[in-house]
């Protein structure tokens, strides 16, 4: 099991998790040990440039969505240095990075998966 497997399990279970990933593959978007917040994601809303927590070929990464194949319900995951990790299905995309050191990632909150049974009224949306 890798360092991010436990985080992936918590996010898949519906938690928003803050942690400090290590490594240089996402510099300058995320530097080693910067605090990130990752929330459960609705994978159908993902777009190129989103930073996601996903399992690809058995490993969990906090990397970029580099391509989207909506018809096959999958996304391509890459680091920020040009290395492509591979394609993964929506069922293996656990979360989206909301903030890096407190700075919000553009558009990320709109892609958070709502808890089962949520009506949207919790977010100030009108109920039908």
């Amino acid at each position: 099991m890798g360092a991010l497997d436990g985080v992936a399990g918590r996010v898949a279970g519906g938690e928003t998790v803050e942690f400090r990933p290590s490594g240089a593959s996402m510099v300058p978007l995320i530097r080693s040990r910067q605090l990130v917040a990752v929330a459960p994601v609705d994978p159908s809303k993902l777009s190129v440039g989103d930073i996601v927590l996903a399992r690809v070929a058995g490993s969990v990464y906090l990397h970029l969505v580099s391509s989207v194949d909506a018809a096959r319900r999958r996304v391509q995951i890459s680091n920020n240095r040009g290395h492509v990790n591979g394609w993964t299905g929506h069922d293996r995309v656990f979360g989206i990075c909301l903030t890096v050191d407190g700075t919000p990632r553009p558009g990320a909150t709109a892609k958070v998966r709502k808890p089962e049974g949520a009506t949207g009224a919790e977010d100030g949306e009108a109920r039908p």
Side-chain angles (χ1 to χ4, degrees):
M1 249 172 82
L4 293 179
D5 284 299
V7 173
R10 290 173 59 197
V11 174
E15 288 183 56
T16 296
V17 179
E18 289 188 330
F19 63 101
R20 294 179 183 275
S22 59
S25 66
M26 288 295 290
V27 171
L29 298 174
I30 302 172
R31 298 184 189 284
S32 191
R33 308 295 300 151
Q34 280 187 302
L35 183 66
V36 299
V38 176
V41 68
D42 177 348
S44 67
K45 295 181 179 179
L46 291 174
S47 55
V48 171
D50 287 332
I51 299 174
V52 296
L53 186 67
R55 183 176 304 281
V56 183
S59 295
V60 177
Y61 299 96
L62 184 65
H63 278 178
L64 290 167
V65 172
S66 52
S67 188
V68 174
D69 182 351
R72 294 176 70 181
R73 297 181 41 81
R74 65 183 189 155
V75 294
Q76 185 181 62
I77 305 297
S78 302
N79 68 21
N80 200 35
R81 301 203 170 283
H83 175 75
V84 175
N85 301 102
W87 288 93
T88 197
H90 283 184
D91 61 325
R92 291 184 300 270
V93 181
F94 310 112
I96 187 163
C97 181
L98 298 178
T99 63
V100 178
D101 268 350
T103 301
R105 293 278 307 153
T109 56
K111 298 172 185 182
V112 172
R113 184 181 74 224
K114 300 229 186 299
E116 303 236 352
T119 62
E122 297 85 7
D123 298 326
E125 296 175 19
R127 291 186 181 179

